[in-house]
Amino acid sequence: MSTAPRLTALDALHRSLGATMTDFAGWDMPLRYASERDEHNAVRTRAGLFDLSHMGEITLTGPEAVKVLDHALVGNISTVGVGRARYTHICQEDGGILDDLIVYRLGETEFMVVANASNAQVVLDAITERAAGFDAEVRDDRDAYALIAVQGPESPGILKSLTDADLDGLKYYAGLPGTVAGVPALIARTGYTGEDGFELFVAPEHAVELWQALTAAGAGVGLVPAGLSCRDTLRLEAGMPLYGHELTTSLTPFDAGLGRVVKFEKEGDFVGRAALEAAAEKAAANPPRKLVGLIAEGRRVPRAGFPVVSDGKVIGEVTSGAPSPTLGKPIAMAYVDAAHAAPGTSGVGVDIRGTHEPYEVVALPFYKRQK
């Protein structure tokens, strides 16, 4: 039995803008409005407007909410200050990554966890199960929010024209309550594009009004609506992992080169600790495959699952690949054997339908914005 994809509060607006829609994690989402390359370049040089309402918001409240999160996640959430946010992972008992998350501390005893759309139910179920016995409430708030992001170098100016919130004092990975164009919002300075930008959590009934206000405020500086397609090329250039590609249940954070998010020093036990301690030792002593960047010498585009080769042998696998509008060449992220992971390693290629196309091994990210 097929179920119709869910619609965001902005669905009719996307269609009125001529968006190409696609089913993504059970949601009907805009893939692109016109040219994905133009949308990508707009975010890099001006600003883009994204509907991210498919993301999964989970609220935790209560005296022991922070203890739940320290037990359920690999990060040290007790050290997150009110108004700040942290990137972290939720893992299985065997250390495999269930999802990567952003946790916002909204108050002393109130937190919001934002999960990927494809994993929102899994994360909700896991946190609910892991909260048993703690004095805390776990609430599914996926229907309570629409999420709009404005990303790019012009985004601070666009947002400043619509709010009196202290954006200059808002640090990266922080959030504060305020109003934007008269709409109550949680204003967060986070993003997934490699650019400065903001994510605005609002009630769904205010989403269209806010989108239209942002569109009008950005008209003079080249703001454009942007879809999931350019979001993917932007995050790929910025070396940001995507769940299901660079992160999976078969990988630990240490396998993914993200061992820094695991905080063994925090008090108490947490789910996956023993397995992750073993993974950390293994990674330190004999690193398995490493996540690297690959830049094509030719024009053929690598895709997820394509083998990475050297001297006729498979040494790894592409996890994400696409043409890079910023570099003007195809790029990819791939897990490769440690012996071939150093930037500049020669003789590395990608098997693209039987032809071994030459690629340069580089350190991630491919792109870093000028501060």
Side-chain angles (χ1 to χ4, degrees):
M1 188 178 73
S2 64
T3 54
R6 299 179 67 183
L7 308 180
T8 78
L10 294 162
D11 183 74
L13 191 149
H14 296 316
R15 294 173 193 279
S16 75
L17 293 171
T20 298
M21 306 296 286
T22 188
D23 186 342
F24 181 82
W27 290 81
D28 217 8
M29 298 297 295
L31 188 63
R32 70 181 71 81
Y33 297 85
S35 158
E36 54 206 47
R37 177 180 291 269
D38 290 347
E39 291 169 23
H40 178 112
N41 290 333
V43 175
R44 284 276 177 260
T45 59
R46 303 184 304 278
L49 194 57
F50 296 86
D51 179 9
L52 306 180
S53 301
H54 60 313
M55 301 294 281
E57 295 87 6
I58 301 159
T59 302
L60 284 86
T61 55
E64 293 188 317
V66 71
K67 288 187 176 181
V68 171
L69 291 170
D70 274 342
H71 168 64
L73 313 180
V74 302
N76 192 351
I77 307 305
S78 60
T79 61
V80 179
V82 174
R84 297 308 302 266
R86 181 156 299 165
Y87 175 83
T88 189
H89 292 171
I90 182 168
C91 290
Q92 301 177 144
E93 197 69 68
D94 67 0
I97 303 166
L98 280 173
D99 201 12
D100 60 338
L101 312 166
I102 297 179
V103 179
Y104 296 89
R105 189 167 199 162
L106 305 180
E108 279 300 326
T109 60
E110 183 179 5
F111 298 81
M112 181 170 67
V113 177
V114 181
N116 285 297
S118 56
N119 295 330
Q121 189 64 49
V122 169
V123 173
L124 174 66
D125 292 345
I127 292 178
T128 301
E129 180 183 330
R130 296 172 190 189
F134 290 93
D135 186 4
E137 178 194 351
V138 180
R139 189 172 70 237
D140 179 0
D141 270 349
R142 283 176 288 179
D143 293 334
Y145 293 103
L147 178 54
I148 295 174
V150 55
Q151 296 277 308
E154 297 287 354
S155 58
I158 293 168
L159 204 55
K160 279 180 187 177
S161 71
L162 296 173
T163 184
D164 57 4
D166 179 17
L167 297 186
D168 291 334
L170 187 65
K171 296 177 180 176
Y172 187 52
Y173 266 70
L176 83 170
T179 58
V180 181
V183 169
L186 171 65
I187 305 167
R189 198 166 206 155
T190 47
Y192 193 54
T193 63
E195 299 298 336
D196 191 11
F198 303 87
E199 295 185 327
L200 307 172
F201 296 85
V202 300
E205 59 266 26
H206 294 144
V208 171
E209 173 188 354
L210 180 57
W211 181 283
Q212 291 173 335
L214 289 162
T215 298
V221 292
L223 173 79
V224 301
L228 292 181
S229 186
C230 83
R231 183 172 156 87
D232 191 50
T233 53
L234 289 160
R235 71 91 195 167
L236 178 55
E237 288 183 349
M240 294 178 169
L242 176 63
Y243 195 87
H245 290 254
E246 288 72 42
L247 309 175
T248 69
T249 52
S250 64
L251 297 170
T252 73
F254 295 95
D255 296 326
L258 292 167
R260 64 183 181 275
V261 308
V262 182
K263 303 301 182 185
F264 294 121
E265 70 275 14
K266 65 179 174 177
E267 287 185 20
D269 196 13
F270 62 90
V271 176
R273 177 192 274 274
L276 289 167
E277 285 174 341
E281 287 182 27
K282 181 181 172 186
N286 184 23
R289 289 182 168 179
K290 289 188 174 182
L291 187 64
V292 301
L294 300 174
I295 300 178
E297 294 181 19
R299 309 302 305 172
R300 297 184 74 188
V301 179
R303 298 298 183 190
F306 284 13
V308 181
V309 294
S310 180
D311 293 327
K313 296 178 182 175
V314 174
I315 59 160
E317 184 176 297
V318 172
T319 54
S320 298
S324 165
T326 304
L327 277 62
K329 297 177 179 179
I331 59 173
M333 286 199 278
Y335 283 108
V336 302
D337 294 345
H340 297 85
T345 300
S346 61
V348 172
V350 175
D351 185 339
I352 301 182
R353 297 180 184 87
T355 303
H356 292 186
E357 300 285 341
Y359 273 74
E360 178 188 359
V361 179
V362 299
L364 293 168
F366 299 98
Y367 167 85
K368 198 174 245 181
R369 71 182 172 96
Q370 303 299 310
K371 301 287 185 186

